Amino acid sequence: MTDPFAEKIGINVQGGSVNVQNLNLGIAERLEQVGDRVRILVVAANPLGSSPLKLDHEVKTIQAALKRSRKRDNFLVEYQLAATPSELRRALLDFEPHVLHFSGHGAGEQGLLFVRDESAAAIYRSDSGEVRSHSVDTNEIRFVPAQPLARLLQLCDEHLECVVLNACYSDVQGNPIANSVPITIGVRDAVADDVAIKFSQGFYDAIGAGKSYEKAFEWGKVAIEFDLANDEAGKILILRKKGESISPLISAIPNISPPRSLSASEYFDRALEKQNKGDNEGAIADYNESIRLGSKDVHIDYNNRGSAKNALGNNEGAIADYDEAIRLNPDYAPAYSNYGNAKNALGKKEEAIAGYNEAIRLNPDLADPYYSRGFVKQERGETIESLEDFREAALLYVKQGNTTLLNKARDRIKELGG
């Protein structure tokens, strides 16, 4: 039987489950009318073995957004930092959140990254408030794939209204979750720290002001565009309403089979061909598919996709991809060299040189990091050191038979009087 008052404020109670029929009213106002408060569970994980993220910064951003809001007394927030799968499951039982916010790493089909339960005892909080680990294990990663996570969240349908997966490639998890959760927000690409944090700020600013989830989602995207002057990053954020995980095009056309999908290697080859022809946007789309399908050498996909993003001026997105390539294969020298290029484009010379140094250490036969390091040193007025790098690059370009880059290196040497 439907409760008339619940129906009036947009909540229909059926068989013990709360199914939100109308989410146009902000959740703080809806629950205030029935004497309840909004429960938000923030789960964060940056296990050893994954690239470092500013998760504490994001958590503090969420805290600040809700604390300053006019609806601040309507919120209860629980935090699970350095979370393990068991801790998430127990927190869902104990806290019964209306909103679940995940902050951390996503790895597409492999799942979201949590800390292994076996490593939980090594976690502690430093004097400065940051989450640290005593673990000597360099890989604490525990992947939680989409289907088990979706089944867990389905059990929370009496209270859970919105899931925010603020992590790279988390939209893969968003698909099955959206079968049972009214609102699911995910990311379909790599996302830089500052973008993820800014989205959280804009989203919870709006939630605290009484906006609906959909409106808050748009406020989060506008925060990225307006505050960061980034009109691309917001495009990778996806909001799904319940049941929107099935392709509308295929389901709407009966008796028509979808075209044969390409394999990961076919997508990779096609991406490389497009990239060589200057079609970087097309290359990025194909690298996305190669990664999604489990590319054999996925670190190369990330590295190449980063180069395509770099060519389009998306240096932050490129750096996120290079970081992932390095996480997947710490000995892959080209990713460090490309990382240096992207950092240099952002004016971060010291970090650029550190990237080139590591690339050269791992593979002294690579010419590009010598040339690039020489260029940065020349800009810093280090004439002798830059000459040494250009000469080394020229020797390696001779061995490679790369006359175009050889001539560029020689021009630099002449310019420096060498």
Side-chain angles (χ1 to χ4, degrees):
M1 181 175 179
T2 301
D3 183 330
F5 182 67
E7 187 176 39
K8 180 180 178 181
I9 64 171
I11 300 179
N12 184 22
V13 183
Q14 295 178 332
S17 296
V18 177
N19 299 306
V20 180
Q21 304 293 343
N22 181 1
L23 297 176
N24 292 328
L25 187 65
I27 182 173
E29 293 178 354
R30 278 193 282 113
L31 293 181
E32 185 177 29
Q33 294 181 52
V34 293
D36 200 359
R37 287 195 286 177
V38 183
R39 297 184 296 277
I40 300 174
L41 175 61
V42 179
V43 176
N46 194 173
L48 293 179
S50 63
S51 54
L53 296 171
K54 299 176 182 177
L55 299 188
D56 286 347
H57 191 177
E58 182 171 357
V59 167
K60 291 174 183 176
T61 297
I62 294 171
Q63 287 175 325
L66 294 174
K67 187 175 181 179
R68 64 161 296 282
S69 71
R70 59 186 175 89
K71 296 287 183 181
R72 55 184 172 273
D73 294 333
N74 292 30
F75 294 94
L76 292 172
V77 187
E78 178 86 7
Y79 299 96
Q80 288 288 335
L81 307 181
T84 69
S86 296
E87 287 172 341
L88 170 60
R89 177 175 51 77
R90 290 166 180 162
L92 290 170
L93 282 168
D94 295 342
F95 192 57
E96 295 190 335
H98 301 102
V99 179
L100 171 63
H101 181 106
F102 177 83
S103 177
H105 286 285
E109 296 288 350
Q110 283 184 283
L112 301 178
L113 276 63
F114 285 78
V115 176
R116 288 188 291 112
D117 283 303
E118 295 82 358
S119 304
I123 303 297
Y124 72 100
R125 184 173 286 277
S126 69
D127 292 339
S128 61
E130 295 178 326
V131 176
R132 301 298 186 202
S133 175
H134 292 300
S135 176
V136 296
D137 188 346
T138 58
N139 191 342
E140 294 179 345
I141 296 171
R142 165 73 159 83
F143 291 101
V144 176
Q147 291 299 335
L149 180 60
R151 285 194 290 272
L152 173 66
L153 299 183
Q154 187 177 11
L155 298 175
C156 303
D157 63 350
E158 294 179 3
H159 51 84
L160 190 60
E161 293 187 8
C162 179
V163 173
V164 181
L165 303 175
N166 204 13
C168 300
Y169 314 107
S170 58
D171 188 48
V172 174
Q173 279 70 39
N175 254 338
I177 292 172
N179 288 327
S180 59
V181 176
I183 296 291
T184 305
I185 295 169
V187 183
R188 66 181 178 190
D189 205 333
V191 58
D193 268 355
D194 62 334
V195 171
I197 292 168
K198 184 56 66 174
F199 173 77
S200 288
Q201 184 183 68
F203 182 81
Y204 289 103
D205 278 344
I207 290 293
K211 302 297 182 184
S212 68
Y213 295 121
E214 288 186 77
K215 281 289 185 182
F217 175 73
E218 295 301 326
W219 277 95
K221 293 201 296 181
V222 165
I224 296 168
E225 181 177 349
F226 185 77
D227 295 13
L228 300 181
N230 185 329
D231 60 356
E232 291 296 321
K235 297 176 183 177
I236 66 176
L237 288 151
I238 303 295
L239 180 145
R240 281 184 168 81
K241 296 180 184 178
K242 187 174 180 179
E244 286 187 345
S245 59
I246 300 173
S247 169
L249 177 63
I250 295 174
S251 62
I253 307 175
N255 302 322
I256 297 179
S257 299
R260 182 189 75 85
S261 296
L262 301 178
S263 67
S265 62
E266 287 172 322
Y267 273 115
F268 177 86
D269 291 342
R270 194 170 75 173
L272 197 58
E273 183 179 354
K274 288 179 180 179
Q275 195 167 10
N276 289 334
K277 291 179 179 178
D279 179 12
N280 289 296
E281 290 184 353
I284 288 170
D286 282 344
Y287 284 129
N288 289 346
E289 288 303 301
S290 178
I291 291 167
R292 185 181 68 82
L293 293 169
S295 174
K296 181 180 178 182
D297 294 311
V298 69
H299 63 284
I300 300 178
D301 291 81
Y302 280 108
N303 176 71
N304 291 3
R305 192 178 68 175
S307 297
K309 289 179 179 179
N310 201 36
L312 293 170
N314 182 7
N315 295 304
E316 293 288 359
I319 288 168
D321 273 356
Y322 299 142
D323 280 339
E324 187 64 13
I326 290 166
R327 183 187 73 80
L328 292 165
N329 186 347
D331 297 326
Y332 187 57
Y336 291 96
S337 182
N338 290 330
Y339 170 91
N341 293 337
K343 286 291 186 179
N344 184 41
L346 292 172
K348 298 178 180 179
K349 306 297 183 185
E350 291 295 334
E351 293 176 59
I353 287 181
Y356 300 138
N357 290 345
E358 188 63 14
I360 291 167
R361 184 189 72 81
L362 289 167
N363 188 350
D365 293 328
L366 276 181
D368 290 345
Y370 284 106
Y371 180 87
S372 299
R373 190 174 69 177
F375 183 80
V376 174
K377 288 180 177 178
Q378 183 183 4
E379 286 185 327
R380 300 202 314 184
E382 300 171 5
T383 304
I384 295 175
E385 293 85 350
S386 61
L387 263 175
E388 291 174 355
D389 278 345
F390 287 134
R391 284 169 178 157
E392 188 63 32
L395 289 172
L396 292 169
Y397 286 138
V398 168
K399 291 180 181 180
Q400 295 173 8
N402 192 330
T403 55
T404 300
L405 293 178
L406 171 61
N407 290 333
K408 286 186 176 182
R410 284 174 172 170
D411 288 343
R412 290 285 176 184
I413 293 169
K414 290 177 183 177
E415 185 179 327
L416 292 168

